[in-house]
Amino acid sequence: MSNLVIVESPAKAKTIKKYLGKEFDVIASMGHIRDLPKSKLGVDVENNFVPQYVDIKGKEDLIKELKKKAKKSDLVYLATDPDREGEAISWHLAQMLGVDLTKDNRVTFNEITKSGVKSGMEHPRTIDIKLVDAQQARRILDRIVGYKISPFLWRKIRKGLSAGRVQSVAVRIIVDREEEIRKFVQQEYWSIDAKLAAKGYSKKPISAKLYAVDGKKLELTGIPNQEQAQAIVQLLEGAHYVVSNVKKGMRKKSPSPPFITSTLQQEASRRLGYQSRRTMKVAQELYEGVEIEGLGATGLITYMRTDSLRISNEAAEMAEAYILEKYGKEYLPSTRRIFKSKKNAQDAHEAIRPSDPSLTPEQVKSSLTSEQYKLYKLIWERFIASQMANALLDTVTVDIEAANCLFKASGFTVKFDGFTVLYEDTKDSDDEDTAALPPIQTGDELNLKELAPNQHFTQPPARFTEASLIKTLEENGIGRPSTYAPTITTILARGYVEREGKSLKPTALGEVTTRLMEEQFSNIVDVDFTANMEKNLDAVEEGTVDYVKMLSDFYSPFIQTLEQAEKNMEGTRMKVPDEETDIICELCGRKMVIKTGRFGKFLACPGFPECRNTKKIVKETGGLCPICGGKVLAKKSKNGKAYFGCEHNPECSFMTWDKPLDEKCPKCGSTLYQKTGRGALIHCLKEGCDYARAVEKKSKDDTEE
């Protein structure tokens, strides 16, 4: 008897084959095998929105092989990923291979481990048509929006643009934030800090902040101007400082839940500097299986596209056993922690956790790439910590009175470190006033050591980073775990948004396109409308909404809106303003502007067509070439990898992957360069100079956003 198991990727196939043995042939479909055609809408909107699927170009040989193997097999198991997309791929495979949809031939694995694969194979089921309908509804909905609005954008703004049900909302969120930043009016305010010493206590003085004046609490923006701040300082300089109240307490700090897709992407961005796409790529590798010394191909984490916080009893028990052995009974909570998922979470999968919690990051480190190790360590530590006891903090808050002014000082000491012995969220590291206060009591007089008025200015809202954008999308119910990373990738690739450091900044194109979409297709870029569509798709998956009716309810008013937009903008074309630079055109003296062409951005003279001068955009680093002394420029290879080269290339051959620093070599005066990764160091590349030193390790605060 021959059995065929079809999965999505070769890595997953290899791992599963190890567990199933010789009786099973395992093959990968390499993702989707059928999709809507690229050249046309591919949806019969007149006849119940029937999709017209075609075989994906380039997969002809694979499809032949799949058909050949399926024909020879007694049983075909469809084992694609356990989500909407995976269910749809299995359904397409069943259609193509003639697999009976009424039989139990669909298997899913939440984790690619021996027990996970065994459990999946022991519990086959029929293909869930409700899941398939939800995926088809999403695909058709996105196709209608994209294929109907995109040509309109080509005619009204620029060729090659695209609109999307989720991407257009994401761009609008970024554009709206940029508008807030532009409209922000900075305000000055002042605070007053005092450093006070307790009598008989010679250690570090107490840092206290002015809290209230004449019984009135200061506003968040503090004292409005320098004159008022100076008047208060003069009042306080000769005053007596007396402790009026000492409040002691204990604060519990609870661990965060295990990761879901969005929180993993956010924390990997903050801690590791990974973009969401990179995080999901590495997580996929850890899920599908990695060659581990002594174990072979092993899936290290559970399925990484999930918004459920549920974990299995078996996993919780394994975590408890590890904590008990490693840290002792006091590090276990009195009752097992159960984290509650948000209201609209899909509970098909567990939270993201290590498949085998007893397999520590250090045990597998030698078998993993640097990226895989860092992400596995993050997932493993967060999960184990989530099952540990609270941290307990002894807190002290002190009120200090002087000349009708009230100062407050606070601090804490760690009574019991609990879960923090292993893991702390990045946000937890922002706690202020962590120093312990001296043993003072009510009525104690304090000596003033320093009184400092400090000027501040209110700050505009920050631009979104990938982490904060994903958090906002999730909080507003826009997209699902599988869509966050592709959405960000798309809006960057389309040129609607660009990176500025870690921040996401809208381009002129993004702002013009969003303005048009707001004016003509307000629903498509409306946060609430898009979130409601997500709820409808969830309802299709639950079987409470018919997907054809849902599409019909959307389509009729959408087409009317499109027709009205054509009338509203008949004969009108929106211009994308050019970004002016300080670079002067050497042919005519005008300031050159940045334009976007087929191969990316370039400099052009705004005097076109009279002046046709164009240039490559050159990014100077401030470094100098160790060979000829020319400027070192930041460049990109054909595959997009950053490197650095001399401005006189090709006459000068200097290039390096090492980043030039704003620092000179103490031995020869040349620019120093920093090598990253393994063997990281700061060194001089001047021939004959051997200066080098180790890179100082950054503190945790330095690595966070």
Side-chain angles (χ1 to χ4, degrees), residues 416-475:
F416 175 62
D417 53 8
F419 74 93
T420 65
V421 71
L422 177 65
Y423 178 89
E424 247 181 307
D425 272 335
T426 46
K427 62 177 182 287
D428 291 333
S429 65
D430 295 333
D431 287 334
E432 294 181 359
D433 303 321
T434 58
L437 295 181
I440 52 178
Q441 298 177 358
T442 302
D444 284 356
E445 288 192 17
L446 305 176
N447 295 326
L448 178 65
K449 294 292 184 183
E450 184 183 329
L451 198 60
N454 299 304
Q455 185 183 35
H456 308 275
F457 293 94
T458 54
Q459 296 299 309
R463 284 188 178 128
F464 285 103
T465 60
E466 280 202 16
S468 58
L469 179 62
I470 289 167
K471 185 178 181 183
T472 300
L473 292 173
E474 183 193 29
E475 287 174 346

Side-chain angles (χ1 to χ4, degrees), residues 213 274 302 332 446 609 627 654:
V213 178
Y274 290 1
T302 53
L332 283 172
L446 305 176
I627 296 176
F654 175 73

Side-chain angles (χ1 to χ4, degrees), residues 177-239:
R177 175 60 59 86
E178 196 69 17
E179 193 61 31
E180 284 181 60
I181 293 168
R182 285 196 193 110
K183 289 179 178 177
F184 179 81
V185 179
Q186 195 175 66
Q187 285 184 302
E188 176 190 18
Y189 69 98
W190 289 71
S191 65
I192 297 175
D193 295 333
K195 290 196 182 298
L196 303 156
K199 290 179 179 178
Y201 192 85
S202 60
K203 292 185 181 178
K204 188 178 178 182
I206 300 166
S207 294
K209 291 181 180 295
L210 181 63
Y211 180 79
V213 178
D214 292 329
K216 188 178 179 182
K217 182 181 171 183
L218 295 178
E219 299 292 330
L220 285 174
T221 50
I223 303 159
N225 54 55
Q226 186 177 10
E227 289 74 21
Q228 289 190 34
Q230 288 293 353
I232 295 170
V233 167
Q234 287 175 12
L235 184 72
L236 286 166
E237 278 179 338

Side-chain angles (χ1 to χ4, degrees), residues 43 91-92 164 191 203 207 221-222 243 256 304 309 314 331 411 420 424 432 484-485 542 576 630 680 701-702:
V43 179
W91 180 78
H92 282 295
S191 65
K203 292 185 181 178
S207 294
T221 50
V243 176
S256 295
M304 64 285 156
L309 293 173
E314 181 188 14
Y331 283 86
T420 65
E424 247 181 307
E432 294 181 359
Y484 301 134
E542 292 158 8
V576 179
D701 289 342
D702 292 334

